[in-house]
Amino acid sequence: MSEPGPLSASIIGSFAYLTVKDRLPVIVTRVIDQLYRERINIVDKYGEAATEGCKEVIGRLSQLKNAIQTNKPLELLEATDPLSPCDDSHVWNRHFEEYISTYEVPPKWFTAPWMYVECFMYAHIHESFYLCPALKDFDPFCEQKQKALLESLSATETLAQHVLSVCSSLPSLTQEQLRQHVINLIEISVWGNKCDLSISSGEERSPETDLLVSLDSLRPYILVNHSSPLWQLLVSLPEDQRDIVLVLDNAGFELVTDLCLMMLLTEAGLTTSLTFHVKTRPWFVSDTTHADLFWTLDTLREKGGACSEIGNKWKKYIEDGQWKVCESSFWTTPIPYSQMSTVDPNLYSQLSKASLIIFKGDLNYRKLTGDLDWPTTTNFEQALRGFCVAPLLVLRTLKGGPVVGMAERQAEDLATTVRDWNTSGEYGVIQLCTFS
Ligand SMILES: O=P(O)(O)OC[C@@]1(O)O[C@H](CO)[C@@H](O)[C@@H]1O
Ligand SMILES: [Mn+2]
């Protein structure tokens, strides 16, 4: 079967089109407004040079917004510090040149692949700050990411109490009871992915106070559910081969749900080594950077109650080396994961040692499947196009992009009653590929 083409904004009315036409300009505008509104505080924090810096960045972002809205060609990024992991302008410029040599025209916002242009916008936003010495470390999404956690502390306290209670009862749990608790936290990690500021263009999506009570009613909304084979994989791993990698998605409550799940797997001995991958630049509004992860730990530790207990425990896992935190600029390029072995062989080699790689969220799913316009019944392994680096699991709610591995007629039947089932975030997948 020949492969489908990439999703792009060239199809008027498509989700990609509405994203590029409506949501991306709003995201850029929010950054411009924040710089203007907070310029005094920013100068206080970053020094007098930030006065001119804010003007420069506002100018660059205003040009970016206009370029998107008028479908201008994308531009080359300006190389500044090739030795810095934050400066991968050479990767983007190579991608730009390859596009031109393939299509003989420069990439444009409404015609180039959606994945390329959406990722490029965030790289361009980052570069706008990076080119300004006073503001090179400024995260324009930090305020929104921190607000997202602070406004979900009630749900966090409830979840923390639950996971601490389960962990303290581990010695008395049967295998079946442990399985149920693990699956509950997997499902909570899926629903945590609804709290994503890119899809909402930064509008808050605070979680329900206690997701636990809703799991039974939410389970039918999991359209592909590989919880059982996942459990079988976890309990069948030899004790010395329980290295799990978690490629994180959003900061805020989603990050809390992810770390709660990882805490249970750690305390239950289902993993002996955990590696988290964070982003090296502000990305898709809410994606977790190294700074976000450690701010979250510190905020929980200062909160008191069960939040402090889990914050202290998580910090100790990291200090003891049980949990490792990694960064790779590969995660913030537009390159599909099927090309990782050639584009970033070191990262590929590192991931190949994992017993299980867990990818969170839509964007990871889109990059795993190349953001191609696959039929929903496409076999998941086929859609991975050779990215079989290790057994992998995706936990995501559907907020845009391909969905594969569904049953015949499942998507069509759903669409007769729910028009936006694959973009609303109300549905999710727990999708495993073991390549067996
Ligand atoms: O990876 P995440 O945080 O789950 O979602 C990323 C996302 O918000 O960005 C794109 C829309 O702009 C979609 O892929 C998806 O909705
Ligand atoms: Mn995200």
Side-chain angles (χ1 to χ4, degrees), residues 60-208:
R60 289 193 193 107
L61 294 181
S62 302
Q63 284 177 2
L64 171 62
K65 178 183 169 184
N66 176 265
I68 298 171
Q69 290 176 316
T70 56
N71 194 27
K72 292 275 187 321
L74 276 55
E75 297 154 22
L76 290 170
L77 291 181
E78 296 174 48
T80 47
D81 177 3
L83 298 179
S84 157
C86 287
D87 180 350
D88 56 358
S89 45
H90 56 290
V91 173
W92 290 92
N93 294 342
R94 185 170 63 238
H95 203 78
F96 184 91
E97 300 302 345
E98 285 167 1
Y99 184 95
I100 291 182
S101 64
T102 304
Y103 299 98
E104 296 178 350
V105 288
K108 287 188 170 182
W109 292 92
F110 283 85
T111 49
W114 177 28
M115 175 61 69
Y116 180 13
V117 301
E118 189 168 30
C119 290
F120 180 78
M121 182 191 83
Y122 288 99
H124 205 306
I125 290 173
H126 176 232
E127 184 195 59
S128 298
F129 287 95
Y130 195 75
L131 288 174
C132 169
L135 294 173
K136 73 195 301 282
D137 298 324
F138 186 86
D139 179 344
F141 308 124
C142 179
E143 185 183 9
Q144 294 170 79
K145 290 183 276 188
Q146 295 189 350
K147 185 164 172 276
L149 177 69
L150 297 176
E151 293 187 348
S152 57
L153 284 175
S154 169
T156 299
E157 177 69 16
T158 304
L159 183 56
Q161 288 170 1
H162 169 73
V163 76
L164 286 167
S165 163
V166 172
C167 288
S168 62
S169 66
L170 278 170
S172 61
L173 293 183
T174 64
Q175 188 81 324
E176 176 51 25
Q177 287 169 327
L178 175 59
R179 186 186 73 86
Q180 195 50 62
H181 282 302
V182 168
I183 289 176
N184 284 351
L185 286 178
I186 286 168
E187 293 178 358
I188 286 173
S189 174
V190 169
W191 302 124
N193 181 240
K194 282 170 77 169
C195 310
D196 146 38
L197 297 166
S198 162
I199 184 69
S200 63
S201 304
E203 288 308 318
E204 248 321 286
R205 297 188 86 170
S206 293
E208 298 164 46

Side-chain angles (χ1 to χ4, degrees), residues 193 195-198 248-251 254 279 283-288 360-363 399:
N193 181 240
C195 310
D196 146 38
L197 297 166
S198 162
L248 290 171
D249 187 5
N250 302 314
E254 177 172 0
K279 300 299 191 297
W283 194 247
F284 277 67
V285 185
S286 35
D287 279 34
T288 305
K360 282 305 304 293
D362 255 348
L363 182 59
K399 304 182 298 297

Side-chain angles (χ1 to χ4, degrees), residues 223 376-377 406-416 418 421:
L223 300 177
T376 57
T377 53
M406 293 179 71
E408 290 295 337
R409 302 286 319 147
Q410 186 180 6
E412 293 75 4
D413 294 349
L414 189 52
T416 58
V418 186
W421 63 274

Side-chain angles (χ1 to χ4, degrees), residues 155 158-159 208-214:
T158 304
L159 183 56
E208 298 164 46
T209 304
D210 183 359
L211 263 171
L212 274 161
V213 299
S214 317

Side-chain angles (χ1 to χ4, degrees), residues 387-401:
F387 182 65
C388 49
V389 62
L392 61 88
L393 171 74
V394 191
L395 305 178
R396 85 177 270 203
T397 52
L398 312 186
K399 304 182 298 297

